[in-house]
Amino acid sequence: MSDFNTFLSFAADDAESAALVQAANGALERFTRAFNARDIGGMDAELHFPHIICSGSELLVWQSPGQFPKSFFEGLKATGWNETRYEDKKPVLVSKDKVHFVIVYTRRDALDRVLSTHTNLRVVTRVGGKWGIAVRSY
């Protein structure tokens, strides 16, 4: 178990924070490109494992890649979904190996009409030099 005092991470200065946010944001962008391409392997490549999904009061923990339900996109397409698009991404906590984002995204149909709007939290971490999404909260 890590020492709690060394476990905590602290904020970076402004210039460093901007670079960290940009690097962490890359993982979000790549994940969403893969999502829109219905590329589950590409999505998994942008996640860190174990990967935590928080929905309501429930936690789902994926220990390894390949956990995304194969039928997910069929169900999403049945709603008329064609694409997911970020409307806003706001970094709310930045440290040298972690950025918390509050994101707003829309699900859109083939005519670019908004089907739904969602506000969620994403925690993107740098592990072994690679930025990836560690936590998604819905």
Side-chain angles (χ1 to χ4, degrees):
M1 180 62 125
S2 295
D3 173 26
F4 186 73
N5 291 322
T6 61
F7 179 76
L8 298 177
S9 59
F10 297 96
D13 66 38
D14 288 344
E16 184 182 14
S17 289
L20 294 166
V21 167
Q22 182 177 9
N25 183 55
L28 294 174
E29 291 294 331
R30 290 186 301 273
F31 178 86
T32 300
R33 277 195 300 276
F35 187 92
N36 286 330
R38 291 106 170 128
D39 174 7
I40 293 173
M43 292 164 52
D44 278 348
E46 299 306 324
L47 304 178
H48 281 309
F49 296 93
H51 182 73
I52 300 168
I53 302 166
C54 184
S55 181
S57 63
E58 300 293 319
L59 289 179
L60 178 63
V61 180
W62 291 347
Q63 295 296 332
S64 60
Q67 304 301 304
F68 211 87
K70 305 289 187 235
S71 62
F72 177 79
F73 286 111
E74 294 168 15
L76 197 53
K77 283 188 73 152
T79 70
W81 173 83
N82 183 64
E83 177 186 50
T84 294
R85 184 180 308 160
Y86 290 113
E87 303 300 330
D88 190 35
K89 284 184 273 180
K90 185 175 297 176
V92 294
L93 179 63
V94 179
S95 63
K96 71 179 187 76
D97 291 313
K98 180 180 59 155
V99 180
H100 292 215
F101 290 92
V102 173
I103 63 167
V104 177
Y105 65 91
T106 53
R107 290 188 174 153
R108 295 173 177 263
D109 67 13
L111 298 175
D112 203 34
R113 294 179 295 213
V114 174
L115 299 171
S116 61
T117 302
H118 307 266
T119 302
N120 300 136
L121 175 70
R122 299 285 184 272
V123 178
V124 183
T125 59
R126 180 169 45 185
V127 177
K130 177 188 179 285
W131 286 96
I133 304 166
V135 179
R136 291 182 286 158
S137 180
Y138 296 93

